[in-house]
Amino acid sequence: MSIFLSIFFAFLAICLLLHLHTYNSNKLSSDNLAYHTLQRTYLGGYLLAVAGDWLQGPHLYTLYNSYNFSKHQIELLFVVGFSSALIFGTAIGTFADKLGRKFNCILYGIFYTICCITKHYNNFFVLAVGCILGGVSTCILFSAFESWLIHDFNRQNIDKSLLGNIFSTSVLCNSIVAILMGLVAQLSVDAFGYTTPFEIAACLFFLMIVYITWNWKENYGSQETSVCLSLGNAFQLIKSDYKVLCLGMIQSLFEGSMYVFVLEWTPSLNYAKDFLVIKEPLPYGLIFSIFMLCVMIGSYIFKILSQKMPVESFMRYVLIVSAVSLMVPLAFRHHLFILFAAFLVFEVCVGIFWPSISTLRGKYLKDDTRATVMNIFRIPLNLIVVTILLSNLSHDVIFISCSGSLILSSIFQHFLFNLCQENLDSSPSLNKQQTI
């Protein structure tokens, strides 16, 4: 549909305008050599890692379907992946803190490469092993890379206000990589078949391993502490520090809703299209690209907002807006473009959320158990996704659950803001601007 192409170019223009605005407002960091060096070093490894991850997504379901697996078998393979992350996640985080974040990131490349190799076999159990390794790899991607960055950032004593800029830039670059890898995946499938994106991903993981090996320095959390004691310390931190507990609930509730949205946006738009008796198929690849542009816009908005007020403050409103956007399908299920507009708003909120939650984790989590705590936070969200996949819930129940979870996350965000305010009130030496 031509309207989607027009929307794509309109959002691309908005991204360019926001880029010019934030570029001019961020010149203060241009002379910080350590900041720019660390950012380039981190993004070189991180973007290769996410590029391999993005390549696999668009045609994974189609690949399984081409092997003549039933819908139930395909759903079971996805459940195996999320269950693997649920079961092994906390242990992986502890190993990252104890054995080294760089080492863990290299393991990510090895595990995911093996996962890609299994996709060549039309065998359910071989593919299930690949899904287990994929689930473990996902845990590493969402904990070890960020933990390595924050440790090195603190070690070099870089201005703490610049940490959010790195995360915002990584979200921006991640979105660009997602769009490009979607195109590469489609072209490679058209030319050589469904397994080709996984072969390209394996090559990218090899390049990532080489890059990280040569360019990253190893850093650790608590090396002397045993795995069990490290887990105990992580749980004790969550219990004793209400700010960390709030942070964990915000992350779990938002990301759980986000992953459910990833599973539901396609059937929701398809249902609205069929209701309008539109025979032409929706351009899902183009829609995905528009979603990624919205995430990019969100990352730019984060840069603007974070210069004017604390993350703890503006995230309260972002979470409320995201909750309202996922209430729209309850009232306007049959209205295609109202639904689409609501989903675009939600994706902008996702773009604000990612650098915000990373900045807050850098602020409140202790370095010795950082990766462990981050993976503990992922337990509830994996439970949410597994429950959705195993249950035959109705459309309305799913979106009520998502919007309810987002409202709860905004309440926890408000608690975190109040706790932050109490600390600021008791520390008059802190900059008064932080109390906005």
Side-chain angles (χ1 to χ4, degrees):
M1 294 181 184
S2 59
I3 188 170
F4 288 104
L5 195 59
S6 300
I7 293 171
F8 175 84
F9 285 113
F11 278 73
L12 183 61
I14 294 171
C15 281
L16 292 174
L17 290 173
L18 286 171
H19 176 74
L20 291 173
H21 176 77
T22 55
Y23 176 80
N24 290 330
S25 63
N26 282 329
K27 286 185 176 178
L28 290 175
S29 64
S30 60
D31 295 329
N32 195 319
L33 180 61
Y35 161 76
H36 286 288
T37 302
L38 177 60
Q39 180 172 254
R40 285 195 300 269
T41 303
Y42 170 70
L43 289 178
Y46 175 73
L47 293 179
L48 284 170
V50 295
D53 186 49
W54 282 119
L55 266 171
Q56 301 176 64
H59 296 95
L60 186 57
Y61 191 99
T62 312
L63 175 68
Y64 292 154
N65 195 49
S66 71
Y67 288 154
N68 296 318
F69 290 128
S70 67
K71 183 175 182 291
H72 177 66
Q73 287 176 307
I74 294 173
E75 288 175 347
L76 282 178
L77 287 172
F78 283 108
V79 168
V80 168
F82 282 106
S83 299
S84 168
L86 175 66
I87 294 168
F88 299 113
T90 50
I92 289 298
T94 304
F95 289 137
D97 290 327
K98 185 175 178 60
L99 302 178
R101 281 72 179 263
K102 172 183 172 179
F103 175 69
N104 236 41
C105 293
I106 292 172
L107 283 181
Y108 164 86
I110 295 171
F111 289 160
Y112 234 155
T113 299
I114 298 172
C115 174
C116 291
I117 293 171
T118 64
K119 297 299 185 284
H120 290 75
Y121 295 90
N122 185 357
N123 182 289
F124 182 86
F125 294 103
V126 172
L127 292 169
V129 170
C131 290
I132 292 171
L133 292 174
V136 172
S137 301
T138 302
C139 292
I140 298 173
L141 178 62
F142 286 103
S143 59
F145 284 84
E146 182 179 312
S147 297
W148 180 90
L149 170 64
I150 294 173
H151 183 282
D152 231 50
F153 184 92
N154 292 331
R155 180 182 63 82
Q156 297 186 46
N157 293 317
I158 301 172
D159 182 357
K160 293 189 181 300
S161 65
L162 296 176
L163 181 60
N165 283 352
I166 296 181
F167 287 126
S168 179
T169 303
S170 70
V171 171
L172 171 66
C173 294
N174 188 11
S175 302
I176 295 172
V177 167
I179 295 171
L180 293 176
M181 291 305 104
L183 294 173
V184 170
Q186 188 61 59
L187 291 171
S188 64
V189 165
D190 292 341
F192 303 107
Y194 291 125
T195 59
T196 314
F198 300 94
E199 295 165 2
I200 299 172
C203 294
L204 290 176
F205 291 137
F206 174 76
L207 291 175
M208 184 213 75
I209 291 170
V210 173
Y211 179 90
I212 289 177
T213 301
W214 284 102
N215 293 285
W216 287 21
K217 294 180 180 179
E218 186 61 276
N219 64 51
Y220 303 88
S222 179
Q223 287 182 269
E224 295 77 18
T225 309
S226 67
V227 172
C228 291
L229 186 57
S230 181
L231 279 171
N233 290 340
F235 279 109
Q236 184 59 38
L237 174 65
I238 295 170
K239 285 171 56 181
S240 60
D241 191 334
Y242 290 133
K243 293 190 292 295
V244 174
L245 177 61
C246 287
L247 188 60
M249 295 305 299
I250 294 162
Q251 176 182 323
S252 297
L253 291 167
F254 186 93
E255 291 187 23
S257 300
M258 182 190 69
Y259 280 115
V260 173
F261 170 79
V262 168
L263 299 173
E264 292 298 321
W265 72 262
T266 301
S268 295
L269 292 180
N270 223 23
Y271 179 88
K273 177 188 77 73
D274 293 341
F275 184 81
L276 295 175
V277 199
I278 299 173
K279 294 183 179 179
E280 184 181 353
L282 292 174
Y284 292 112
L286 184 57
I287 290 172
F288 172 78
S289 297
I290 295 171
F291 283 169
M292 290 300 101
L293 287 175
C294 288
V295 174
M296 291 167 65
I297 290 170
S299 72
Y300 284 125
I301 292 173
F302 165 82
K303 283 188 176 182
I304 296 169
L305 291 176
S306 61
Q307 292 172 0
K308 300 180 183 300
M309 63 181 76
V311 176
E312 293 89 343
S313 179
F314 67 74
M315 272 306 294
R316 296 175 297 170
Y317 309 111
V318 172
L319 293 171
I320 286 292
V321 171
S322 67
V324 173
S325 68
L326 292 192
M327 291 179 188
V328 171
L330 300 173
F332 298 97
R333 188 180 182 188
H334 303 132
H335 297 75
L336 176 62
F337 291 103
I338 294 178
L339 265 184
F340 184 57
F343 291 169
L344 295 181
V345 171
F346 180 74
E347 289 290 348
V348 171
C349 293
V350 170
I352 301 172
F353 172 82
W354 282 122
S356 298
I357 199 71
S358 296
T359 301
L360 292 174
R361 285 194 295 247
K363 187 174 181 179
Y364 294 116
L365 297 188
K366 295 181 179 179
D367 194 58
D368 57 346
T369 56
R370 185 182 303 280
T372 306
V373 173
M374 288 172 66
N375 276 300
I376 290 173
F377 289 168
R378 294 183 62 81
I379 292 175
L381 77 89
N382 284 310
L383 276 173
I384 291 170
V385 178
V386 169
T387 301
I388 293 294
L389 286 171
L390 292 177
S391 306
N392 189 25
L393 300 177
S394 68
H395 169 276
D396 286 359
V397 170
I398 289 173
F399 279 99
I400 287 172
S401 301
C402 288
S403 56
S405 296
L406 292 169
I407 290 171
L408 273 177
S409 70
S410 69
I411 293 171
F412 280 107
Q413 183 66 56
H414 186 68
F415 287 156
L416 178 61
F417 174 72
N418 286 338
L419 290 169
C420 177
Q421 286 291 90
E422 289 174 8
N423 289 345
L424 289 170
D425 292 340
S426 62
S427 304
S429 61
L430 292 175
N431 193 318
K432 291 183 179 179
Q433 287 184 343
Q434 298 298 311
T435 63
I436 295 175

